[in-house]
Amino acid sequence: MLEFTICFVACHAGPADHFAAFANELQARGGKVEIFASGPALSKLPQAQPFSLEGRIEWEVASEIARKCAKAAIVITDVGHPFNISMQKALAQEAPHMIRAAYYDNPEDFVPGGYSETAAKVMQAAEKVFFANAHLANLPLLEEPLKEVALARDKKIGLGYYPVEQAESIAKLRKEKGMQIRAELFKAHGLVDRGQKLLVYAGGNNEEYFTKAWPAFLQIFKKAALDDVIVILQQHPGAKKENRDGKLAEERGANLWISHLSSPDVQAAADAMLYYQTSMAPQFVLAQIPTIQVGHEVYQDILTKNKLCRSATNPEEFLSALKELQTQSSAPTECIKESLGIHPDWGSRLAKRALELIAEKGYDSSQSGG
């Protein structure tokens, strides 16, 4: 039994999904869980204590949360938001008795657009780093192209978690309600369904996407001049407020729809998923949805490295990839899972490693007054 408290601090939706699964697993083993969330993470973690950075000094917010976590044995933050650099430092100051960990949820060793640069600083400020992709605990990480993150091997812990069940749920939804959702979409936009292909672009929320990948896609789509295709932009939860990609599409006269559906629903209706860089990309293929990477250059992620999807950086490649959609065979599930570094016993690994860390640090709940 886990007779201690673990706190999670989440700012992004991706790791929030993971933290929700971790919380359930730890609580089932007798552990206590407290979660603090802001921004897009809040919608994924309704049980969380909310916090906001708007109009606040980051250090003050971080210090407040650190004090609230004082009774915990372990605190785990995500790595993609700059706030968690302050969060890790505040924890070291306010609660030195606890184990400070970071969680790297992305399956790739490098993520463009500033993610890896921020993640490097959070991980370096933490005492330990859990990796969703267990392979990454034994591989070098990059904070920018050709620049490795300085991270000691004994600081890295391979967990082996990916929300495969979400992909399975989406595959089931496609079979059971895909056509119904499609019909409702066409009705909402006042269009007759003539068998047009519905292509859903999974948007990002970083400068690489906003200034390079998305503009490249808009140009490719315009030059391809397809009459039998409808493109739907599924915006990243963190990008909806400023709507930079939606505004750019409007400025360039792109004939596309901006989705108001949930991610599972829009995937259920899609004939294909388009993306540039997203940790959700393996989910598309696991859900057996034809997938194409489209952007300004090829991003060497798990799908492209393993030839599990086509990539396109110009209209000709895009048209060729679309023609192959009908003949694209189902991707080998085991190949994807292996590349994702998944361990079916991730729950046991998480609990065991947490206990080991507590023993290594000599944590004593009386130090925190808990």
Side-chain angles (χ1 to χ4, degrees):
M1 295 291 286
L2 304 177
E3 297 178 352
F4 57 84
T5 299
I6 291 185
C7 286
F8 295 95
V9 181
C11 298
H12 285 303
D17 278 329
H18 295 216
F19 287 171
F22 297 170
N24 290 337
E25 188 72 21
L26 292 167
Q27 287 170 334
R29 295 169 184 269
K32 296 179 181 179
V33 173
E34 293 183 5
I35 304 175
F36 298 85
S38 69
L42 268 176
S43 62
K44 303 284 187 175
L45 297 164
Q47 74 274 42
Q49 298 181 48
F51 68 91
S52 175
L53 300 175
E54 290 189 19
R56 299 288 308 280
I57 297 172
E58 281 193 5
W59 178 257
E60 291 180 353
V61 178
S63 296
E64 286 176 7
I65 296 174
R67 287 191 289 271
K68 290 179 180 178
C69 293
K71 293 183 180 181
I74 303 174
V75 176
I76 304 176
T77 74
D78 59 25
V79 300
H81 197 290
F83 169 72
N84 280 316
I85 303 169
S86 296
M87 190 70 244
Q88 287 288 342
K89 292 178 180 179
L91 288 166
Q93 179 174 303
E94 298 286 345
H97 56 275
M98 68 172 58
I99 295 104
R100 294 177 290 102
Y103 180 66
Y104 190 100
D105 68 296
N106 202 287
E108 310 295 343
D109 59 359
F110 174 70
V111 181
Y115 174 94
S116 287
E117 184 178 357
T118 298
K121 294 176 182 177
V122 178
M123 292 188 291
Q124 287 165 342
E127 292 179 295
K128 299 290 181 178
V129 183
F130 287 94
F131 290 90
N133 183 339
H135 295 314
L136 296 183
N138 299 305
L139 297 172
L141 299 174
L142 301 178
E143 57 182 289
E144 57 186 65
L146 305 179
K147 183 179 180 181
E148 187 176 331
V149 180
L151 208 61
R153 173 61 189 88
D154 62 2
K155 194 172 181 175
K156 301 161 74 175
I157 303 168
L159 185 57
Y161 176 78
Y162 189 84
V164 175
E165 67 283 352
Q166 292 183 9
E168 294 170 347
S169 176
I170 289 167
K172 182 180 179 182
L173 187 64
R174 284 173 64 80
K175 291 179 181 179
E176 296 179 351
K177 293 187 177 180
M179 293 307 296
Q180 177 187 330
I181 296 171
R182 177 188 173 99
E184 291 170 354
L185 265 172
F186 275 86
K187 182 178 180 181
H189 288 273
L191 288 182
V192 175
D193 189 344
R194 297 181 286 99
Q196 302 96 318
K197 286 186 174 66
L198 285 181
L199 308 181
V200 177
Y201 198 109
N205 189 32
N206 58 57
E207 289 304 307
E208 186 92 358
Y209 165 71
F210 290 126
T211 63
K212 296 179 181 179
W214 181 242
F217 168 72
L218 292 177
Q219 185 175 26
I220 290 168
F221 179 51
K222 183 177 181 179
K223 289 185 176 179
L226 296 165
D227 294 327
D228 60 343
V229 164
I230 294 171
V231 170
I232 302 173
L233 170 61
Q234 184 72 13
Q235 292 177 301
H236 187 285
K240 291 182 179 181
K241 185 176 180 179
E242 292 189 17
N243 191 32
R244 289 175 63 181
D245 43 6
K247 290 176 181 176
L248 184 60
E250 185 177 358
E251 289 171 7
R252 298 201 175 183
N255 185 20
L256 55 80
W257 301 347
I258 295 181
S259 170
H260 296 289
L261 298 177
S262 68
S263 181
D265 280 357
V266 80
Q267 289 180 62
D271 288 305
M273 293 299 301
L274 312 178
Y275 78 102
Y276 175 64
Q277 182 282 315
T278 172
S279 59
M280 291 176 63
Q283 180 188 98
F284 306 150
V285 180
L286 284 169
Q288 304 299 331
I289 309 174
T291 303
I292 306 171
Q293 185 191 96
V294 191
H296 57 296
E297 63 184 14
V298 177
Y299 171 55
Q300 293 293 335
D301 63 359
I302 284 173
L303 299 190
T304 56
K305 285 176 184 175
N306 291 282
K307 296 180 171 49
L308 297 172
C309 78
R310 287 286 302 271
S311 60
T313 59
N314 58 56
E316 293 73 27
E317 291 175 346
F318 185 54
L319 289 169
S320 175
L322 287 177
K323 287 179 181 178
E324 289 188 6
L325 287 181
Q326 298 300 328
T327 59
Q328 186 172 331
S329 58
S330 297
T333 300
E334 291 310 311
C335 172
I336 303 172
K337 290 181 178 180
E338 166 56 27
S339 297
L340 287 168
I342 293 174
H343 286 293
D345 64 341
W346 62 266
S348 297
R349 292 166 69 91
L350 174 62
K352 180 182 178 182
R353 200 66 184 96
L355 287 169
E356 289 173 348
L357 291 176
I358 289 171
E360 288 172 14
K361 182 128 184 184
Y363 172 79
D364 181 351
S365 62
S366 66
Q367 293 176 288
S368 63

